[in-house]
Amino acid sequence: MRVASPLIAAAAMLLTGIIIFTILGKDPEQAFYVFFIKPLTTLYGVGEWLLKATPLLLCALGLALGFRANVWNIGAEGQLTMGAIAGGGVALWLGDSTAIWVLPLMFVAGALGGMAWAAIPAFLRNRFNTSEILVTLMLVYIAQLLLSYLVHGPWRDPMGFNFPQSKTFSDAHLVPLLIEGARTNWGFVLGLLLAVASWLFSSKTFAGYRMQVAGLAPAAAAYAGFSNKRNVWVALLISGGTAGLAGLCEVAGPIGQLQAQISPGYGFAAIIVAWIGRLHPVGIVLGALLMSLLYLGGESAQMQMALPSAITGLFQGLLLFYLLAADLFITFRLKNVHVVRSQASVAVIKEAV
């Protein structure tokens, strides 16, 4: 049932969508076609689907490793932003250089930027026992304000008509396209490779085993001598690094420059993706594709059916709500209080006899 619950949640989301579209005065059949089918009927649409799945996949893979160890990184959005700043800063610093090593250096800088931002809550958690949930979440807004300061100030393009954006990156600083005629780049392939690496880390290494034990049985992990502080560092640094790569793939991919807004909330949506995928790499890949379709379908519904922009967030929220509801009934069992009391009374009578 834990494997089936995401499918149950998706079905419940679709059924609720029928009610919502009906209330809004839209034909449910047409709405579902526009939302879930039409975006994938062209090569360009498929490319956009994979493009939006890339940052979701990268962020969710790192978050899932931490969630398995009860390390709750809620700030992937901020780490994504810092990865974009670090990788984009390399591109701006090197200017028009066409050296082959520039793009790999940008990837390294993006990962290190996300890891550095995640190291702050890791240090505070281990040193002062602070909540990584609150610290990672608050750091999101600091990262976004830093990006806004840079594109409004020292990194603003002097030829950009006063728009808050940096200079556009040269072609040598952009991630190569994966499909001709679409905007999908090799970042999606990187995400698939990291999914394989995540599976190998979790199932084939002692560090991955140690983190899973810490999540499933903290007392057993402590008795075995597994260091919880090490798990916190590993979980947050890995999730920060993958989120930083996601940010780099955005600014060196479809955006092509630093802007005040580089993400519609991929870091937060990746939390839903991780849980939809049951914290397993294969499930996360499928969850990222589903969540990407919700983003793409929401944009299509806005343009073709005049639906509000909140429709995307509504479907995302419904999906998470039904997933949590399904998990509730998987973990707990409903009981009739009167039946339980009657059974207890019978047991007491039998014992007395």
Side-chain angles (χ1 to χ4, degrees):
M1 289 303 297
R2 288 191 179 279
V3 175
S5 59
L7 301 177
I8 296 173
M13 176 193 69
L14 295 177
L15 292 175
T16 307
I18 294 176
I19 299 174
I20 293 173
F21 288 137
T22 303
I23 293 175
L24 293 175
K26 307 296 182 181
D27 179 14
E29 184 177 352
Q30 180 189 6
F32 272 98
Y33 175 77
V34 171
F35 207 101
F36 295 103
I37 305 299
K38 190 172 183 180
L40 304 181
T41 56
T42 64
L43 177 62
Y44 181 82
V46 173
E48 291 297 295
W49 179 42
L50 300 180
L51 180 67
K52 293 182 181 297
T54 300
L56 294 169
L57 175 58
L58 290 170
C59 290
L61 287 171
L63 293 177
L65 289 175
F67 293 166
R68 291 195 196 103
N70 286 335
V71 180
W72 308 103
N73 181 5
I74 310 299
E77 184 77 2
Q79 293 142 27
L80 179 152
T81 302
M82 292 304 297
I85 291 174
V90 171
L92 295 175
W93 175 48
L94 294 175
D96 296 329
S97 174
T98 58
I100 193 173
W101 47 266
V102 173
L103 188 58
L105 182 61
M106 291 171 61
F107 272 96
V108 172
L112 291 177
M115 293 172 70
W117 209 239
I120 298 174
F123 171 77
L124 295 176
R125 161 72 184 273
N126 287 333
R127 183 66 179 83
F128 301 106
N129 198 30
T130 59
S131 169
E132 72 275 14
I133 297 176
L134 296 177
V135 176
T136 54
L137 183 59
M138 290 187 292
L139 285 173
V140 171
Y141 304 102
I142 297 176
Q144 292 174 341
L145 289 172
L146 175 60
L147 175 62
S148 178
Y149 162 73
L150 291 173
V151 297
H152 280 90
W155 288 3
R156 186 174 60 185
D157 183 6
M159 305 298 294
F161 301 99
N162 212 33
F163 284 101
Q165 61 189 28
S166 70
K167 294 181 179 179
T168 55
F169 301 159
S170 66
D171 292 341
H173 302 163
L174 299 178
V175 183
L177 296 178
L178 180 62
I179 303 175
E180 191 67 30
R183 296 199 302 164
T184 307
N185 56 46
W186 281 87
F188 182 72
V189 176
L190 174 63
L192 295 179
L193 294 176
L194 288 180
V196 175
S198 175
W199 176 78
L200 291 174
F201 176 81
S202 299
S203 61
K204 303 296 182 182
T205 67
F206 181 72
Y209 170 76
R210 184 178 62 234
M211 295 179 69
Q212 292 191 54
V213 172
L216 295 172
Y223 181 78
F226 295 163
S227 173
N228 185 57
K229 292 184 177 181
R230 181 185 300 173
N231 288 340
V232 170
W233 276 110
V234 172
L236 284 171
L237 289 181
I238 290 179
S239 58
T242 58
L245 289 174
L248 186 277
C249 288
E250 284 297 291
V251 296
I255 300 177
Q257 60 183 168
L258 288 173
Q259 298 178 351
Q261 184 70 30
I262 61 173
S263 168
Y266 289 136
F268 294 119
I271 299 173
I272 305 178
V273 171
W275 286 111
I276 293 174
R278 306 284 78 179
L279 306 182
H280 190 281
V282 175
I284 289 173
V285 172
L286 299 177
L289 292 174
L290 174 59
M291 190 63 66
S292 173
L293 184 58
L294 293 182
Y295 274 111
L296 201 61
E299 295 174 358
S300 177
Q302 291 175 54
M303 292 184 292
Q304 301 183 36
M305 301 190 68
L307 287 173
S309 59
I311 195 70
T312 299
L314 177 62
F315 272 94
Q316 291 178 356
L318 285 172
L319 184 60
L320 180 60
F321 173 79
Y322 285 123
L323 181 66
L324 295 176
D327 285 347
L328 175 67
F329 289 104
I330 291 172
T331 306
F332 299 98
R333 181 176 59 184
L334 293 178
K335 290 185 177 181
N336 189 313
V337 177
H338 298 290
V339 173
V340 173
R341 289 177 178 174
S342 299
Q343 292 174 347
S345 300
V346 171
V348 170
I349 293 173
K350 287 182 177 180
E351 184 177 355
V353 172

